[in-house]
Amino acid sequence: MENRLIDNCMKLGFGMMRLPRIEGTKDIDVEHTKNMVDAFIEAGGKYFDTAYVYEGSEAATKAALCDRYPRESYYLADKLNASEFACKSEEEAKEEIKVSLERTGAGYFDFYLLHGIDSGNKERFSQFGIWEYMRKLKEEGLIRHYGFSFHSTPEQLDELLTEHPDTEFVQLQINYSDWEDPLIASRQCYEVAVRHGKPVIVMEPVKGGKLADPPQQVKDILHQANPDASYASWAIRFTASLPNVMVVLSGMSNMEQMEDNLSFMRQMQPLNDEEQKVLESARQALSQFDGIACTSCHYCTPGCPMDIHIPEIFSVMNVYKMYGTLDEARNEYKWRPGGEKASACIQCGQCEDACPQHLPIISLLEKVVETLEK
């Protein structure tokens, strides 16, 4: 499909959600981020992605990108989130773009998204008149293109694109692990976008970093096929090889990840038939791993009344599930997650409402208590 929304742009996009943090703090390391931005642009990258709800990201984007490069030299995407954890009213939702423009100093956004549409928040976007608001913002020149990011069923995606045919693109969670997953339904959602003629922006190509450090049986499969290729390269090239994909977002957290991504994306070679077969074997191996499908997006944490660092807790639990080292997992659980332990959960449910993966977080935290706090 011909892509008319971006020009002369590397297919790799810089996702500004998991930026490096100053050790021992929650503060973004702006100087490190500047170096990463410089390397990305020097390699031919132009597409940057941030959001109103990414804590500290918009301010870091201003300091590292918008204040340092001519505005016409890059594409910047931002997002309006109408979920309950992000806003309480239509007025608050519509105010988000003003805040985002102030935080970034960008002047306008090349791509502006209705953020994280799923079955739980879909109606709020309609009730608040956000679809019409997007068209108004475009007419005013505050945004150039509008679309939405999506976490629900192929049927609901088809319904949205039918109801809103002027949507210019869609952002989908796609990776080789979720390609045939019945809950995420990456392949089916991608095919819906193709039928509607909408270019796709890919999020979570490395599944929150999990495919950069997969279970050992998956590592063995990929290493045997190509010992020189990073595990992340297999995941990102899988999505970048899809013909209807416009940009693949990688949430890089340090210069090492940036350099690795650039090494194979400067002149990206699509996967050949043999490589596709290798990834199918890897996918089958992953399907045997009973892990928690958390992508560490942290949407669940800002509204937690008990300050439970849910993604960090699930990360420790997954290491235990992967390697079976219970004593080590319990020791790591004592210090690594920070915040309150899983047993502090009061089962208010705000985390489950915010989770784009639709995880049963409350019951999963109960299992953590049973396993790691005994």
Side-chain angles (χ1 to χ4, degrees), residues 116 118 151-152 173 184 295 297 299 352-359:
D118 61 24
H151 295 278
S152 192
Q173 178 171 322
I184 306 300
T295 64
C297 69
Y299 293 176
E352 294 188 354
D353 291 338
C355 179
Q357 308 303 319
H358 311 294
L359 296 177

Side-chain angles (χ1 to χ4, degrees), residues 295-308:
T295 64
S296 299
C297 69
H298 286 86
Y299 293 176
C300 59
T301 53
C304 177
M306 305 308 294
D307 189 32
I308 300 172

Side-chain angles (χ1 to χ4, degrees), residues 171-276:
Q171 185 163 304
L172 300 173
Q173 178 171 322
I174 300 177
N175 55 68
Y176 70 81
S177 175
D178 293 329
W179 190 239
E180 299 293 352
D181 184 281
L183 182 62
I184 306 300
S186 287
R187 177 182 58 78
Q188 292 173 280
C189 286
Y190 171 79
E191 290 171 352
V192 168
V194 171
R195 288 199 301 272
H196 283 268
K198 308 300 181 184
V200 171
I201 296 171
V202 171
M203 57 184 164
E204 303 293 358
V206 195
K207 202 171 173 64
K210 288 179 174 55
L211 300 182
D213 185 25
Q216 189 60 47
Q217 59 267 41
V218 176
K219 290 182 178 179
D220 292 342
I221 292 169
L222 301 181
H223 184 77
Q224 182 176 359
N226 186 348
D228 297 324
S230 68
Y231 304 121
S233 72
W234 284 94
I236 292 174
R237 286 179 60 224
F238 170 79
T239 59
S241 298
L242 296 168
N244 197 45
V245 165
M246 181 171 71
V247 175
V248 178
L249 298 175
S250 180
M252 296 166 279
S253 301
N254 54 53
M255 185 61 78
E256 182 182 5
Q257 293 173 3
M258 173 67 73
E259 291 173 348
D260 177 59
N261 282 192
L262 294 177
S263 70
F264 56 85
M265 287 299 289
R266 279 190 182 92
Q267 296 179 329
M268 200 281 298
Q269 297 297 316
L271 295 176
N272 58 37
D273 290 344
E274 286 303 312
E275 289 173 318
Q276 292 282 7

